[in-house]
Amino acid sequence: DYTPTPADKFTFGLWTVGNTGRDPFGEPTRPAMKAPYLVQKLAELGAWGVNLHDNDLVPISASASERDSIVAEFKQALSDHGLVVPMATTNLFNDPAFKDGAFTSADARVRAYALQKTMRSMDLGAELGAATYVFWGGREGTEVDAGGKLLDCLGWFRDSLNFLAEYSESQGYGYRFALEPKPNEPRADIFLPTVGSALGFIATLDKPEQFGVNPEFAHETMAGLNFSHAVAQAIDAGKLFHIDLNDQKMGRFDQDLRFGAENPKGAFFLVQLLESSGYAGPRHFDAHALRTEDEAGVWAFARGCMRTYLIFKEKAQQFAQDSEIQAALAAYRVEDAELAQLTGTFSPQNAEALKARTFDRAALGARGPGLEQLDQLTMELLLGIR
Ligand code: GLT
Ligand code: MN
Ligand code: MN
Ligand code: MN
């Protein structure tokens, strides 16, 4: 009946169900809820874990003893309700100190403060048992490029990530780091705007094996890209360390809609890809209830994200068992044992034989692959009539 259990590995950020509906044009529309209460409610709904920024839990101005008592109370709630903290991250975007970047600020003091804040936040995450540490560089970008710092920024960003990877190792934290790309908002242009950019940058780090990506459905969509394609590339590179699930209309501000709310077909292909890929990490919903909603709407939102995922997971199984769909898929792919032999491994003989071979180009171009029929069958399955 699509009721989630911890085995489904669904997680939410404290900032997601804790979102109060504030936006750039309006005040909060619902009261803030305390972290231990969010933990209790998420556990009741069948979630597996909860993720956090340092300041989702501990206010930036808290004293050391305030911090300790807040953390103790939170740990108690986690153990009372059986929730885990698989991922932690740093808030390097809210405070005015970070208005022109954190690791990429032109001010060396801001860059050093960002490192300090991140190390402290990594300590907190490790204390809570987090295995994945996310970097969303919300303020790492520009509105104007008159500052002439583009190449420096990439170097500063790289130095910071290298430093923090060493810090993790020196403390024995064993974190796997996940870079989360976003093209814009809150900056006009954010550095490393897409999954592809992040993957390229990771290859330039001192310890690339410790770094992967945390792609978000909404963020690739904002860039006009196909999220499943980005996720597939991350999986292929062995770099899908975490994932942020939500939804988004293309060409809009960052909406963080309920998973599957806007583009259910895209959400289906994503679930199908994830579930068939062997991805074993958290299914994290980085989304929030509409600003119109009260607390009941928040829990309807959270339940809806998980139910939609589970419904699509069932649809993916149905897809795999539907004989008409499977026949159409089989007909779509054409295999040829003799050509596989020639093209599989390079040898001068294979190359010569392949160059000498004749292909019936007209027949290749004339073949209909049956994708209209296959896609219509998929739609009918999703619409519930198969
Ligand atoms: C912020 C952002 C998200 C990131 C979070 C992690 S915070 O809400 O919009 O996409 O995943 O820093
Ligand atoms: Mn987002
Ligand atoms: Mn967001
Ligand atoms: Mn996100």
Side-chain angles (χ1 to χ4, degrees), residues 1 33 36 49 52 75 168 187-189 241 258 262 272 294 310 336 340 379:
D1 63 347
M33 295 183 269
L52 72 164
K75 282 164 112 176
S168 171
R187 300 309 296 268
D189 293 290
F241 284 13
R258 192 179 73 256
E262 175 60 26
Q272 189 183 45
D294 61 4
L310 291 176
D336 184 310
M379 280 309 291

Side-chain angles (χ1 to χ4, degrees), residues 54 67 88-92 98 103 111-127 133-135 159-171 173 175 177:
D54 47 358
R67 175 219 184 261
T89 182
T90 331
N91 188 324
L92 294 173
F98 301 122
F103 302 130
R111 298 200 297 275
Y113 173 54
L115 274 185
Q116 180 201 65
K117 190 172 194 291
T118 303
M119 285 191 288
R120 290 180 177 171
S121 176
M122 285 167 64
D123 299 343
L124 172 64
E127 182 178 349
Y133 202 87
V134 163
F135 291 100
D159 291 346
S160 300
L161 295 175
N162 286 338
F163 185 101
L164 293 165
E166 291 287 353
Y167 177 68
S168 171
E169 239 173 49
S170 74
Q171 298 293 308
Y173 289 159
Y175 277 124
F177 298 103

Side-chain angles (χ1 to χ4, degrees), residues 180 182 216 218-219 222 246 254-256 286:
E180 179 178 342
K182 188 176 184 183
E216 176 172 316
H219 298 175
M222 287 170 74
N246 56 15
D254 177 46
Q255 294 177 299
D256 296 333
D286 184 10

Side-chain angles (χ1 to χ4, degrees), residues 306-325:
M306 296 188 283
R307 278 177 68 80
T308 297
Y309 190 101
L310 291 176
I311 292 166
F312 283 141
K313 189 172 164 182
E314 184 184 271
K315 293 282 182 193
Q317 285 157 2
Q318 230 180 305
F319 184 98
Q321 285 156 8
D322 185 305
S323 52
E324 205 179 338
I325 288 178

Side-chain angles (χ1 to χ4, degrees), residues 7-11 48 51 86-87 131-134 176 178 212-216 227 230-232 234-245 270-285 309 313:
D8 295 312
K9 289 202 161 177
F10 291 133
T11 63
W48 172 61
N51 304 316
M87 178 271 260
T132 304
Y133 202 87
V134 163
R176 299 211 310 163
V213 288
N214 177 35
E216 176 172 316
F227 187 57
V231 171
I235 292 169
D236 178 69
K239 292 298 190 188
L240 188 66
F241 284 13
H242 198 267
I243 192 163
D244 278 3
L245 303 171
L270 175 75
V271 171
Q272 189 183 45
L273 174 70
L274 268 190
E275 293 298 321
S276 65
S277 72
Y279 172 74
R283 275 76 172 155
H284 175 232
F285 298 105
Y309 190 101
K313 189 172 164 182

Side-chain angles (χ1 to χ4, degrees), residues 85 99 127 140 152 181 210 226 237 249 261 271 278 306 324 336 349 359 371 376:
V85 175
K99 63 192 176 186
E127 182 178 349
E140 315 292 8
D152 295 314
Q210 294 186 18
N226 179 318
K249 288 193 205 216
V271 171
M306 296 188 283
E324 205 179 338
D336 184 310
Q349 295 78 1
F359 289 93
L371 287 172
Q376 179 66 21

